[in-house]
Amino acid sequence: MKKIIKSVAAALFSIASLVNFISCNEDSYNPLVYQGSLIQRRSEPGVYLHTDGYYYLASTYEYGSFSSILLRRVKDINEFRTTSTETAVISSTTSGAPTSKCYFNASIKFIEGDWYLFFTASSSSSQTGYSNADLEYQRPYVAKCESENPMNSDSWKVLGEIGAVTGSVYSDSNNIIQSRCEGPSVFEKDGKWYMLWSQRVKDGSSFDKDSDSSTLTLDFNGTQKTYADTAHSAVTSYGTSNGNKESESYWDCIFIGETSPEDFTKAVKASIISVPQYDWECGIYSAHSDTTWGNSNFAPEPLIHDGNLFVVFSAGDFDESFSMGILKCSDLSSILSINSWKKSEDPVFKSSPENSTFGPGSCSFTTDSGYDVMFYSARTYRYLNPAISSGGLSTTEVSFDDRNRATFAKCFTWKDNGYPDFGIAGER
């Protein structure tokens, strides 16, 4: 009888795993341990547990190249560290792909019988790596697999660049994605599909409703709200000197819009749900002299639990100050309104010197044996490029020139207030 009950429970869990970003209801202590990093030199992991029992992991190959999106599959999460089964499913040779060799931040989903990859790529043919000079050319794309086996690289086709409009009817002429954009991901809630992405909003753009060069004023259904440019300020919000003061005012904000499996290249009713506003979101705590990254919200990822809708995002600079925050939707009848979202005032996941885990971010979620699991990328050392800097540890390298991040996984639990408790980065 116990074996029968256990088999039924396992079957029910498999059904619940069909929608991969919806978590299980496990609130007890997680016994699963994923010792150390799972995959070296692979970052921005997008994970999906399919009904065939395989975990599919889309990631970026860094360490000198962003030339492809790589896909692995295993039946046990710990096998990711040993498997040699890996396929480059998106590259410049993929049908419909942009000619650039810069592809990153992939999210893999199985939706209504088809495999999709949502990812970021540069539309500039000159960008062969992650170059700050070409940031403005980064755009969101979606690809679809024409085979039941997503590991078949020849079956992937890029459907196109993703566009969005603020109105309810899409038109290319009104596409608002005309600046740096990255980290697209989709989710379904109450029968509707939504798309999330991060997009750069510059001072003086069509979104900015004021003439002040150091503030961003947004209009939300007739109500205006102004955000100060913390990264551009000479002092932090705590009154201390800002050694990483930016020379240009901009905000990498989190956007949301309605979309549909009928055409994932389009999003309508696009709106902003998060603007960088706290010091930890604005690169102020960066320990090196790279001032490229200012007010930044990146890589939004949905997380649904017990009917609650969260968006977990990454923020700050790409060194040890990189961390993760969380948004919670308080009004599910108005998901597209920023007034329905509450942001954490402090990071919910950050560097852990005691565990030699630095700059965690770019996460995705799955389950393992009934427990909730977060995949994320991080470094195992504090500063940048220790292998190539003449003096050993460096504080002067451009942050994204250090591409030696790794993929990690860890179980997490839930707090009494309904929020996830991610624990400590690198926790054993």
Side-chain angles (χ1 to χ4, degrees), residues 1 38 50 54 59 82 99 114 187 239 252 261 282 286 300 319 373 376 384-385 391 398:
M1 178 62 70
L38 290 176
H50 193 39
Y54 280 101
S59 61
T82 58
T99 56
D114 292 304
F187 68 97
D252 287 311
C282 302
S286 176
D319 64 357
V373 179
Y376 65 97
L384 304 178
N385 288 334
V398 174

Side-chain angles (χ1 to χ4, degrees), residues 126-428:
S126 65
Q127 186 167 345
T128 57
Y130 199 105
S131 166
N132 290 331
D134 290 323
L135 292 179
E136 288 300 318
Y137 293 100
Q138 291 172 359
R139 297 291 186 271
Y141 289 82
V142 58
K144 184 177 180 180
C145 186
E146 298 177 343
S147 167
E148 293 183 0
N149 181 10
M151 300 296 293
N152 184 352
S153 60
D154 294 334
S155 297
W156 283 95
K157 178 181 179 180
V158 177
L159 300 179
E161 184 177 328
I162 296 170
V165 297
T166 56
S168 58
V169 179
Y170 185 87
S171 171
D172 285 329
S173 61
N174 294 325
N175 180 18
I176 64 170
I177 303 180
Q178 301 294 332
S179 57
R180 180 182 187 272
C181 184
E182 60 90 37
S185 186
V186 298
F187 68 97
E188 184 269 339
K189 188 74 175 75
D190 298 330
K192 289 185 178 181
W193 282 92
Y194 299 89
M195 182 172 291
L196 294 161
W197 69 94
S198 170
Q199 183 177 332
R200 179 157 295 182
V201 177
K202 290 190 175 184
D203 181 70
S205 69
S206 60
F207 289 96
D208 195 4
K209 305 303 180 183
D210 67 30
S211 58
D212 191 323
S213 62
S214 62
T215 61
L216 175 67
T217 298
L218 302 177
D219 191 327
F220 303 107
N221 298 322
T223 301
Q224 292 188 343
K225 185 172 183 180
T226 299
Y227 298 85
D229 188 351
T230 305
H232 190 74
S233 173
V235 296
T236 69
S237 62
Y238 300 104
T240 58
S241 175
N242 178 11
N244 290 317
K245 181 181 179 228
E246 298 293 324
S247 58
E248 180 183 8
S249 288
Y250 64 84
W251 292 258
D252 287 311
C253 302
I254 294 176
F255 282 70
I256 193 171
E258 290 185 2
T259 188
S260 168
E262 294 180 2
D263 189 355
F264 278 132
T265 67
K266 296 177 175 60
V268 299
K269 301 180 183 178
S271 61
I272 296 172
I273 59 171
S274 179
V275 179
Q277 61 192 103
Y278 300 115
D279 285 353
W280 57 273
E281 298 177 280
C282 302
I284 285 176
Y285 299 127
S286 176
H288 66 293
S289 61
D290 170 25
T291 58
T292 302
W293 305 98
N295 308 307
S296 304
N297 283 178
F298 296 124
E301 186 68 18
L303 177 62
I304 300 173
H305 177 76
D306 279 353
N308 293 317
L309 172 60
F310 302 93
V311 171
V312 184
F313 63 95
S314 305
D317 204 342
F318 286 99
D319 64 357
E320 71 275 17
S321 66
F322 205 48
S323 56
M324 288 161 46
I326 194 168
L327 299 162
K328 181 183 180 182
C329 185
S330 59
D331 183 1
L332 295 176
S333 67
S334 189
I335 291 176
L336 301 179
S337 172
I338 194 172
N339 296 323
S340 299
W341 294 87
K342 180 181 179 181
K343 183 193 296 184
S344 56
E345 295 184 2
D346 299 301
V348 294
F349 201 62
K350 59 184 180 179
S351 291
S352 172
E354 62 271 29
N355 292 329
S356 298
T357 308
F358 300 92
S362 300
C363 66
S364 60
F365 301 99
T366 187
T367 55
D368 186 359
S369 304
Y371 296 96
D372 292 293
V373 179
M374 176 175 67
F375 277 65
Y376 65 97
S377 53
R379 295 186 181 91
T380 56
Y381 49 84
R382 180 182 180 189
Y383 295 115
L384 304 178
N385 288 334
I388 65 173
S389 299
S390 59
L393 297 180
S394 171
T395 61
T396 61
E397 300 290 344
V398 174
S399 58
F400 231 99
D401 282 346
D402 182 352
R403 301 155 186 159
N404 203 10
R405 289 184 294 170
T407 287
F408 292 76
K410 75 179 304 296
C411 282
F412 64 95
T413 55
W414 295 88
K415 300 178 182 178
D416 292 339
N417 63 4
Y419 277 76
D421 185 353
F422 295 130
I424 301 173
E427 198 171 39
R428 305 296 188 257

